[in-house]
Amino acid sequence: MSQTIEIGKLTDIPKLGSRVVKTKQGDIAVFRTMDDEVFALHDSCPHKQGALSQGIVHGKSVTCPLHNWVIGLDDGEAKGHDKGCTKTFEARLEGGMVYLFLEDVIAA
Amino acid sequence: MRDKLVVIGNGMAGMRTVEELLKIAPDKYDITVFGAEPYGNYNRIMLSPVLTGEKTIEEIMINNLDWYKDNNITLHAGDDKKAVNIDRRNQKVIAADGTEAQYDRLLLATGSNPFIIPLPGHDLDGVISFRDIADVETMLKASKEKKHAIVIGGGLLGLEAANGLMKQGMDVTVVHNLEVLMNRQLDEPSAKLLEQSLVERGLKFKMNANTSELTADENGHVKSIVFSDGEKLPAELVVMAVGIRPNIELAQKVGLHCERGIVVNDTLQTFDPKIYAIGECIQHREELFGLVAPIWDQAKVAANHLAAYGIGIYRTQATSTKLKVTGIDLFSAGDFSGDDDTDEVIFQDPKRGIYKKVVLKEDKIIGSVMYGDTMDGSWYFQLMKDGTNVADFRDSLLFGQAHMGDSGHAGVNAAADLPDSAEICGCNGVCKGDIVKAITEENLYTLDEVRASTKASASCGSCTGLVEQVIASTLGGDYNPSESQKTICACTSYGHDQVRDAIKPNNLKSFHAVSHFLEFSNADGCHVCRPAINYYLLAAWPGEYEDDLASRFTNERMHANIQKDNTYTVVPRMFGGVTTAKDLRVIADAADKYEVPMVKVTGGQRIDLVGVKKENLIPMWKDLNDAGMVSGHAYGKALRTVKTCIGSQYCRFGTQDSTGAGIRIEEMTWGSWTPAKFKIAVSGCPRNCAEATIKDIGIVAVDSGWEIYVAGNGGIKVRVSDFLVKVATEDEVLEYTGAFMQMYREQGHHNERTAPWIERVGLQYIKDQIVENAEKRKAYYEGFLFSQKFSQKDPWKERASEGVAQNDFIPLAEV
């Protein structure tokens, strides 16, 4: 079963930064851009599973702290010559609150 | 409605500009291209390998016809599509067959024409130049049917043509009007070595030759060449390679101001502001162009203006030359002939066929010629372009960079001789073959492109020189080690110094202020420029600029080193490497309490708690703080440790209290952010047990005081530090240490350790300000102490007890 979950206020996430939401499917990194857009990715770089939540955010990208892979926030795809993809989740901003759309939250 | 851009000339210069333009303003123009050759855009500098059979035409295509389609570019290519007129009043280009194209902006990239000597017989069949695919096809055809070839011109192009024809089985004589081959690039000794090698390969030469005519057979085809001394040689194919002339015919016809080339200003604009020109057809500040590197720079600037950014300025950088004849190594750059005001440093070993010459003026390299061993060509070239003062290593200059001892690639320094399976980049496991393949298949030209594509030298950078050598040996002649000024990153066309120098005068106090003022291509920058500029702002505005955590690499944001499994390492500071049983107990208790998987001793005399979970960092710091311990900044571009030996307190040889001095130095310097990590060591006697001479600052005690050494390095490239000064007292040690650190803090580039910094600016420059000038030294020292007022706050305590940046350590939610 899938559902939309309120995870916190936009202002709880630093501009050009990220916060982690712990779920049963693993950590999800929720990003906030300069223009206050929010994106959510599995907190794991497709290269060597670096924590993307710890990366530097620029435009709609984040640079993984382990080996500088640049991952698109909107599609989870590695940029440039690197090949790989991180799972994306739907994140929405309504009335200053951030919502995550998760499938199978209550995983067996 | 898009504007219309028309490009006349479908060669390397024009298309490079279009590529640069598509990068920054992909939707600004509808683009139409006119080209006289019936192909896409190919790499003209690779025609030599095509002639020798080392490459095929397909392999040297840069942009095939699909590329034009994919980018919605209209291409009119072929003889009948040659642009023959420009109606400037109505802004239209007209081709030979009547095809017209309207323009808002026009780019002329008409290239150059080979110069044909107007000898009797110069228009016979079989007399050609060496310029395009058609010429190469003529040569290949001739080599199958004829035997005797003559190449007129012993320059770079002539020799490559001669070598190719010889490879194809012809009997080739090179006719040159001087005594020195490649006289624009070589001096006499190196040219003689080259001639000798080429003769050994089977080429023939006629030097100091004056050709009087070419004679024909009964079919009007060239048959022989006759010289003014009466000698006559059989010539069934004659290739003229005596130079090129800018192709300005069309520009002149339509009234654009031309001299030797189409005259352009620093923005590549002609006298008609709607018309830009670039490449071999232009004349910029009295100069003409024939190499690829400056033209790439022009393409960047022209694209910048066509995109209406309006900030690029073109300036010609020095260029270097290599000869694309497999197995012949020669390198030349700058002014290699010198005059009365220059010194020449020469190394000659005729038996091994090696000749190296570096020309110095006021201890700076202004030119170099190398034959037989060109390994250090790109190093000399870099030193020349940077204007580095080489006085300190003049004595070993000609022995090259090899004595610098790189780690991690078995001391290998010559890439050309390596097999494809040789590992070049030890961090990312990239072999020579991978790099060569990427360069040839993806048409890469620069170090940055190779880095992005292969990851070679993208980690620690210690193999950068090797990677550059591979690029140079793969691309041959026209590789320019740094094609333009080193920019911080792809977000900006400015280098570190330019960005830094803009901060204070323009009162820029945030990253976005800098990126806006300097018109970065990405407002948020990237992972390279953000931390760099954050540091520059911090150094420029002590006490005023608030550190931007979002621009900090995770280690510096979390105040712990991230490990491969996303856990962290905690390293408490131990001043001067001295600890106590009580502190050790606290560390041991913390290791137990937070289940630290590994406890390790570091190289800098402290203890690593490795593998701490992110959520345990704050409580662990709290425990360590309560026992009086603070962060060791083992994760930062900051003062790391001050390593010491026992010194006179206990050691039977100690001349001074090195431990006590080390503690004092660390108490003064801890918490300071620096351009790159900063290590200090203090030894109590010349036995130097603290290994102080490979640290950023090393202090060695002697009976009468202290010797201070600077800019040593034990890591990527071992560098023994330079002696700075000897002082009598500990207080003076502190003053010199603070002053040197502050000078480096204010002038070093982000991520540049003191070793490369001192090699860039020269030891003397530092001595002038720190040793010779007491006033400056005191000012730097005071500047350092002032900045320390704001940075000596323990970041662990701020987070564990004062509520700073807590959110970095705790999840936003759990679901």
Side-chain angles (χ1 to χ4, degrees):
Chain A
M1 93 149 231
S2 55
Q3 60 185 64
T4 306
I5 302 165
E6 180 183 297
I7 51 167
K9 296 201 290 286
L10 175 72
T11 49
D12 289 337
I13 307 170
K15 257 191 199 277
L16 293 179
S18 166
R19 296 288 303 279
V20 171
V21 174
K22 288 197 166 300
T23 77
K24 295 201 172 52
Q25 312 165 57
D27 288 359
I28 295 175
V30 184
F31 297 89
R32 176 181 172 192
T33 67
M34 203 62 202
D35 311 330
D36 288 342
E37 282 190 280
V38 289
F39 296 97
L41 296 176
H42 182 35
D43 192 15
S44 176
C45 179
H47 177 220
K48 296 202 171 168
Q49 291 72 55
L52 296 173
S53 57
Q54 301 304 305
I56 288 178
V57 180
H58 43 102
K60 287 186 192 178
S61 303
V62 60
T63 300
C64 175
L66 293 193
H67 308 95
N68 293 336
W69 276 38
V70 179
I71 308 294
L73 296 178
D74 46 0
D75 57 7
E77 293 279 353
K79 305 232 179 233
H81 287 267
D82 298 320
K83 299 270 178 289
C85 185
T86 286
K87 186 172 165 54
T88 58
F89 297 86
E90 196 183 330
R92 243 178 286 155
L93 183 62
E94 277 171 32
M97 298 304 286
V98 182
Y99 298 87
L100 264 189
F101 181 79
L102 293 180
E103 289 170 15
D104 308 324
V105 182
I106 317 296
Chain B
M1 206 32 210
R2 293 183 179 192
D3 286 350
K4 292 184 169 53
L5 172 67
V6 174
V7 185
I8 300 179
N10 184 30
M12 295 169 75
M15 288 315 98
R16 182 75 174 194
T17 313
V18 170
E19 283 187 350
E20 294 282 357
L21 180 62
L22 291 173
K23 267 189 222 167
I24 53 177
D27 304 319
K28 187 165 170 57
Y29 291 103
D30 285 323
I31 303 174
T32 305
V33 178
F34 288 89
E37 285 188 77
Y39 305 99
N41 168 35
Y42 62 91
N43 186 343
R44 206 180 289 281
I45 55 183
M46 294 311 246
L47 283 173
S48 296
V50 172
L51 181 61
T52 57
E54 293 167 63
K55 285 202 180 315
T56 64
I57 298 282
E58 289 67 44
E59 281 177 319
I60 67 163
M61 280 289 158
I62 301 173
N63 306 106
N64 57 22
L65 297 174
D66 288 342
W67 176 82
Y68 296 83
K69 270 202 214 72
D70 295 346
N71 288 289
N72 298 318
I73 297 168
T74 311
L75 174 64
H76 299 298
D79 215 13
D80 54 345
K81 298 291 183 187
K82 186 177 167 181
V84 291
N85 206 351
I86 304 166
D87 176 349
R88 284 168 56 194
R89 185 178 298 269
N90 298 308
Q91 293 174 223
K92 265 194 321 208
V93 172
I94 301 108
D97 66 353
T99 309
E100 292 191 355
Q102 209 54 54
Y103 67 82
D104 295 296
R105 288 286 177 278
L106 174 62
L107 176 66
L108 297 178
T110 47
S112 60
N113 296 320
F115 181 62
I116 299 286
I117 311 168
L119 293 167
H122 70 85
D123 46 4
L124 292 171
D125 278 352
V127 181
I128 59 165
S129 55
F130 179 29
R131 175 73 193 166
D132 56 29
I133 291 182
D135 291 332
V136 171
E137 284 171 343
T138 309
M139 286 160 137
L140 289 171
K141 187 163 173 287
S143 70
K144 291 190 180 61
E145 300 162 1
K146 319 264 186 208
K147 180 145 181 52
H148 297 285
I150 296 285
V151 175
I152 303 179
L156 187 73
L157 210 55
L159 294 178
E160 288 183 5
N163 176 62
L165 292 168
M166 183 178 71
K167 276 260 178 2
Q168 296 296 347
M170 293 189 85
D171 174 282
V172 188
T173 304
V174 176
V175 175
H176 193 51
N177 61 347
L178 299 167
E179 197 48 56
V180 177
L181 288 174
M182 288 182 67
N183 44 295
R184 286 181 157 200
Q185 288 90 11
L186 299 180
D187 58 356
E188 199 169 339
S190 53
K192 282 293 159 221
L193 284 171
L194 171 66
E195 193 182 330
Q196 199 182 319
S197 316
L198 292 169
V199 166
E200 282 165 14
R201 289 162 169 249
L203 276 182
K204 296 174 185 155
F205 289 92
K206 185 165 169 64
M207 307 296 273
N208 282 326
N210 273 313
T211 310
S212 55
E213 65 168 325
L214 300 170
T215 62
D217 63 11
E218 59 282 5
N219 305 322
H221 194 284
V222 68
K223 184 178 72 173
S224 59
I225 180 166
V226 184
F227 298 100
S228 54
D229 60 6
E231 192 184 352
K232 189 170 170 183
L233 292 173
E236 295 157 299
L237 172 72
V238 175
V239 179
M240 288 214 193
V242 289
I244 52 174
R245 296 283 180 277
N247 178 4
I248 56 176
E249 191 191 353
L250 179 61
Q252 274 178 318
K253 176 175 158 182
V254 301
L256 283 175
H257 178 64
C258 297
E259 286 169 13
R260 288 176 303 153
I262 304 167
V263 177
V264 295
N265 64 12
D266 289 349
T267 63
L268 286 316
Q269 230 165 356
T270 67
F271 276 67
D272 177 337
K274 291 191 165 56
I275 304 180
Y276 288 78
I278 171 179
E280 289 180 343
C281 63
I282 69 167
Q283 178 181 330
H284 170 264
R285 293 183 175 252
E286 299 301 312
E287 267 189 289
L288 302 177
F289 302 91
L291 293 172
V292 80
I295 293 173
W296 276 186
D297 286 346
Q298 291 166 10
K300 265 205 171 77
V301 175
N304 183 289
H305 288 277
L306 288 169
Y309 280 26
I311 53 166
I313 287 189
Y314 174 71
R315 279 282 190 278
T316 302
Q317 308 278 325
T319 51
S320 64
T321 313
K322 289 181 82 156
L323 182 71
K324 286 187 294 299
V325 171
T326 312
I328 290 202
D329 282 330
L330 70 82
F331 178 93
S332 128
D335 170 6
F336 54 83
S337 38
D339 54 34
D340 295 347
D341 301 334
T342 59
D343 304 332
E344 294 179 2
V345 191
I346 295 176
F347 176 99
Q348 247 174 315
D349 184 349
K351 190 163 184 297
R352 287 196 301 142
I354 290 176
Y355 172 83
K356 300 194 238 183
K357 174 165 91 174
V358 175
V359 182
L360 300 171
K361 190 171 187 172
E362 290 162 1
D363 282 328
K364 288 179 181 158
I365 297 180
I366 59 163
S368 61
V369 179
M370 309 166 75
Y371 187 87
D373 172 6
T374 56
M375 208 171 76
D376 290 296
S378 55
W379 183 50
Y380 296 138
F381 188 54
Q382 197 58 50
L383 292 171
M384 174 173 119
K385 291 210 303 191
D386 292 348
T388 306
N389 185 310
V390 299
D392 302 329
F393 51 98
R394 244 183 110 129
D395 53 352
S396 58
L397 188 63
L398 282 184
F399 301 125
Q401 230 179 339
H403 75 281
M404 310 288 287
D406 296 6
S407 63
H409 12 87
V412 171
N413 265 309
D417 304 333
L418 291 172
D420 276 354
S421 60
E423 187 178 70
I424 300 287
C425 173
C427 292
N428 296 314
V430 188
C431 298
K432 180 182 169 183
D434 303 332
I435 300 173
V436 172
K437 188 161 163 261
I439 292 169
T440 49
E441 287 182 2
E442 299 171 38
N443 285 308
L444 309 177
Y445 288 95
T446 65
L447 179 65
D448 284 344
E449 288 170 349
V450 169
R451 260 186 196 155
S453 167
T454 64
K455 293 282 188 250
S457 81
S459 288
C460 85
S462 76
C463 63
T464 302
L466 266 182
V467 174
E468 286 196 303
Q469 284 179 34
V470 175
I471 302 172
S473 66
T474 309
L475 284 181
D478 291 281
Y479 171 61
N480 187 337
S482 50
E483 65 162 7
S484 57
Q485 295 164 323
K486 285 205 172 81
T487 63
I488 293 188
C489 62
C491 301
T492 174
S493 50
Y494 295 109
H496 286 272
D497 288 331
Q498 292 165 299
V499 170
R500 201 165 195 172
D501 294 343
I503 290 174
K504 273 198 153 160
N506 301 298
N507 212 22
L508 305 173
K509 295 195 176 174
S510 72
F511 177 86
H512 283 90
V514 173
S515 72
H516 177 73
F517 183 81
L518 296 176
E519 297 182 303
F520 277 34
S521 56
N522 308 308
D524 293 349
C526 69
H527 62 271
V528 178
C529 58
R530 279 257 298 284
I533 289 166
N534 183 56
Y535 168 75
Y536 294 145
L537 290 163
L538 210 58
W541 310 109
E544 191 175 346
Y545 174 70
E546 194 171 332
D547 197 354
D548 173 27
L549 292 176
S551 295
R552 287 281 192 179
F553 178 62
T554 183
N555 285 359
E556 297 184 341
R557 185 168 357 115
M558 307 296 285
H559 291 280
N561 303 60
I562 196 166
Q563 301 295 8
K564 64 187 270 186
D565 58 357
N566 300 316
T567 62
Y568 287 87
T569 289
V570 172
V571 185
R573 192 168 286 287
M574 289 180 179
F575 289 86
V578 176
T579 183
T580 62
K582 178 176 139 293
D583 282 356
L584 289 173
R585 276 191 202 94
V586 173
I587 291 172
D589 289 344
D592 282 341
K593 183 170 165 187
Y594 301 105
E595 298 170 329
V596 172
M598 183 192 255
V599 179
K600 196 179 169 307
V601 176
T602 74
Q605 301 185 333
R606 42 206 194 167
I607 291 176
D608 255 344
L609 297 160
V610 187
V612 181
K613 293 192 178 68
K614 189 166 76 172
E615 58 267 29
N616 285 337
L617 289 173
I618 286 193
M620 184 187 241
W621 292 341
K622 177 92 178 62
D623 293 356
L624 295 168
N625 280 162
D626 288 346
M629 280 182 257
V630 296
S631 166
H633 292 82
Y635 43 79
K637 297 189 193 306
L639 186 274
R640 298 285 183 94
T641 75
V642 180
K643 187 176 174 181
T644 64
C645 67
I646 299 283
S648 61
Q649 276 191 66
Y650 289 95
C651 175
R652 60 202 168 106
F653 301 116
T655 59
Q656 308 281 356
D657 178 9
S658 50
T659 313
I663 292 172
R664 269 188 77 190
I665 293 170
E666 190 158 0
E667 281 171 343
M668 173 180 86
T669 55
W670 78 268
S672 58
W673 296 108
T674 43
K677 62 181 167 185
F678 199 97
K679 301 176 175 186
I680 300 179
V682 191
S683 285
C685 80
R687 287 175 187 73
N688 191 13
C689 293
E691 295 156 346
T693 42
I694 48 164
K695 302 292 181 216
D696 296 277
I697 294 183
I699 294 135
V700 179
V702 289
D703 196 59
S704 54
W706 308 85
E707 291 173 349
I708 301 177
Y709 295 83
V710 293
N713 194 313
I716 285 176
K717 253 200 172 99
V718 177
R719 182 180 194 276
V720 174
S721 52
D722 294 309
F723 174 73
L724 183 74
V725 68
K726 185 177 166 219
V727 297
T729 65
E730 243 180 59
D731 288 346
E732 287 170 293
V733 169
L734 290 180
E735 182 174 315
Y736 278 90
T737 297
F740 176 77
M741 275 184 87
Q742 187 62 12
M743 187 174 174
Y744 168 58
R745 291 185 74 245
E746 289 177 10
Q747 297 179 25
H749 293 169
H750 189 250
N751 219 359
E752 175 183 54
R753 296 276 313 258
T754 55
W757 175 56
I758 210 165
E759 288 184 355
R760 182 164 64 83
V761 301
L763 172 64
Q764 198 49 51
Y765 167 79
I766 289 168
K767 275 188 172 168
D768 287 347
Q769 302 190 49
I770 303 280
V771 183
E772 325 294 345
N773 188 330
E775 208 175 318
K776 262 216 153 108
R777 175 174 69 247
K778 288 200 168 21
Y780 276 129
Y781 180 49
E782 276 156 23
F784 182 76
L785 296 180
F786 177 73
S787 155
Q788 284 297 80
K789 277 189 197 163
F790 309 101
S791 54
Q792 287 203 322
K793 293 193 191 103
D794 178 29
W796 291 357
K797 189 161 176 236
E798 289 181 314
R799 282 154 183 76
S801 312
E802 296 162 13
V804 172
Q806 295 266 325
N807 281 346
D808 280 335
F809 302 85
I810 43 181
L812 177 62
E814 294 199 38
V815 296

